[in-house]
Amino acid sequence: MEKKLLKKDKLSGIVKKMAADKTLYAPVQDEDNVLFKVLGPGVEPLVAFANTKNAPKKVFFPHSELLVKYTRSPKGMVFAAMPADAKDVVLFGVRPCDARSFALLDMLFDQEKWKDPYYIEKRKKSAVISLACVQPPYASCFCTSVDGSPTSTQGADILLTDLGESYLVEFLTPRGEGLAAYFGEATPADAGAEAKKKEIAEKSAAAIQSKIPGRAIKPILDVSFEHPFWDTIAGKCLACGTCTYMCPTCHCFDISDEIKGDDGVRIRNWDSCMFPLFTKETSGHNPRTSQKQRWRQRLMHKFKYYVDNFDAIACVGCGRCVMSCPVNIDIRKIVTDISKL
Ligand code: SF4
Ligand code: SF4
């Protein structure tokens, strides 16, 4: 793995050059928010921010995705080939927690048994440039409790760490090395840079004050499906789905057909396990009739079922659900309470 040092004033030019050659997503100021979106001409990518309001999962798993177009003809159905995005994609400035979300989504969408070609195609054409969290985190960040850290490399192709005067540029994967030419002005990193990175990594991890017993609740969840605790958490939940839509790892979806005359399209849209309709079957039967059951599903999916299936917690500790829930339901408190059952 190659490591280089890049003078900080060179980074903006490199990102803009990449944006001219590829479709590049970056954190940008958008009124009061920092949003992760396509970097337009003349727009400055941000490097000093806690995290983007929206999760970058939308690049690989869009809110609404056209899967198939078809036409009914006397000879049968004719399916149109779906045009692929011509340009390669770069995700710049992804925080390490969000980069880890890609590794977690890969486990589901690109597993041995089931492969999602739409997701995989987009992943294959993309490189992730992650930006280590060296600035004060949000009070709601808890990445260190769910197997992550402010300098995690999981899910990233390149990791940039601000060392003060320069960035340490770590090329982590062949995809990352494929972007090395853009960093032509960088110089080889020395042992001093490594030592400084280590010191910064320890300081940044220590700055994450919010802690939850992430892995510890799995054995409790294994035997708590019918526990009365579940009656206590969902009472004030509005079933608005905000927590799931903001979450970088949530991936519920629905597939529907829209037909006009002989022409139709099949579309995949984000859905949410917090919505009553998510599990409603055509017969009218709904196996999850209460918000208690839906909240249990959300928590179990992240802290039990994903661990069962992939030995990974499906939460990266970004805190977006904590910050965005309109009635202040806090997943950290729920996990902590479960650890005391
Ligand atoms: S559950 Fe909440 S804290 Fe965990 S990854 Fe999703 S939004 Fe972030
Ligand atoms: S954001 Fe809060 S109120 Fe909305 S579904 Fe999630 S937990 Fe319920």
Side-chain angles (χ1 to χ4, degrees):
M1 181 178 70
E2 199 176 7
K3 298 183 183 187
K4 290 193 162 184
L5 276 177
L6 179 77
K7 288 279 177 213
K8 280 170 86 172
D9 60 357
K10 302 289 181 200
L11 184 63
S12 173
I14 290 173
V15 175
K16 286 176 184 165
K17 173 82 176 71
M18 281 183 199
D21 297 345
K22 303 166 189 293
T23 301
L24 183 135
Y25 291 81
V28 296
Q29 194 68 44
D30 187 313
E31 299 187 351
D32 291 341
N33 297 314
V34 176
L35 295 182
F36 194 73
K37 55 198 277 192
V38 172
L39 190 71
V43 179
E44 201 60 37
L46 296 182
V47 288
F49 61 99
N51 203 353
T52 52
K53 182 159 189 175
N54 56 343
K57 73 176 176 187
K58 63 170 186 169
V59 178
F60 305 123
F61 175 52
H63 301 85
S64 188
E65 182 170 26
L66 182 58
L67 303 180
V68 181
K69 264 186 182 176
Y70 49 84
T71 303
R72 190 167 44 192
S73 81
K75 290 184 182 166
M77 299 296 277
V78 178
F79 295 92
M82 299 307 297
D85 191 344
K87 284 186 172 180
D88 284 349
V89 173
V90 172
L91 290 78
F92 169 79
V94 177
R95 287 301 184 199
C97 58
D98 288 337
R100 284 196 66 238
S101 78
F102 304 144
L104 292 165
L105 292 173
D106 289 347
M107 292 170 190
L108 180 88
F109 286 116
D110 191 7
Q111 55 181 287
E112 201 178 325
K113 196 170 172 192
W114 310 110
K115 297 212 177 278
D116 186 303
Y118 301 93
Y119 174 90
I120 292 170
E121 184 63 23
K122 286 190 268 298
R123 280 288 276 145
K124 271 200 295 198
K125 292 186 66 161
S126 307
V128 176
I129 303 179
S130 196
L131 202 50
C133 288
V134 301
Q135 74 299 309
Y138 284 129
S140 50
C141 292
F142 59 96
C143 61
T144 51
S145 297
V146 283
D147 304 337
S149 83
T151 51
S152 166
T153 55
Q154 204 184 357
D157 297 300
I158 294 176
L159 176 67
L160 301 178
T161 307
D162 183 347
L163 301 184
E165 301 280 300
S166 307
Y167 287 104
L168 177 66
V169 186
E170 297 176 73
F171 296 92
L172 304 164
T173 66
R175 248 185 264 171
E177 281 163 4
L179 296 174
Y182 287 97
F183 294 86
E185 292 179 81
T187 55
D190 54 16
E194 294 274 8
K196 194 154 189 191
K197 154 90 192 283
K198 190 165 176 284
E199 187 189 309
I200 286 171
E202 283 166 7
K203 207 169 146 194
S204 302
I208 305 288
Q209 295 288 306
S210 196
K211 309 271 185 222
I212 64 163
R215 287 259 174 189
I217 63 165
K218 167 72 169 67
I220 301 169
L221 293 176
D222 284 342
V223 295
S224 300
F225 192 81
E226 301 291 356
H227 198 287
F229 170 76
W230 301 112
D231 291 315
T232 67
I233 62 169
K236 64 178 182 177
C237 176
L238 307 172
C240 66
T242 303
C243 49
T244 55
Y245 279 18
M246 302 304 279
C247 178
T249 64
C250 280
H251 50 262
C252 292
F253 61 81
D254 186 30
I255 293 179
S256 55
D257 281 48
E258 291 177 8
I259 300 167
K260 193 173 180 190
D262 287 333
D263 298 319
V265 290
R266 180 161 294 177
I267 301 172
R268 166 158 71 185
N269 296 305
W270 285 5
D271 207 334
S272 170
C273 61
M274 303 307 265
F275 295 155
L277 282 182
F278 180 62
T279 44
K280 191 166 183 186
E281 296 166 11
T282 314
S283 65
H285 171 65
N286 193 340
R288 286 187 215 134
T289 49
S290 68
Q291 205 58 15
K292 160 195 159 180
Q293 292 168 314
R294 292 174 207 122
W295 237 111
R296 177 176 61 193
Q297 165 63 24
R298 180 159 190 261
L299 206 287
M300 286 275 194
H301 193 186
K302 290 186 178 299
F303 289 88
K304 169 175 162 49
Y305 306 144
Y306 232 70
V307 181
D308 283 336
N309 291 333
F310 306 117
D311 191 22
I313 298 173
C315 166
V316 294
C318 69
R320 285 187 180 90
C321 60
V322 178
M323 289 194 286
S324 58
C325 176
V327 293
N328 296 324
I329 294 178
D330 188 332
I331 197 167
R332 297 171 302 172
K333 179 173 180 339
I334 292 170
V335 170
T336 304
D337 288 350
I338 289 169
S339 73
K340 295 173 188 159
L341 293 181

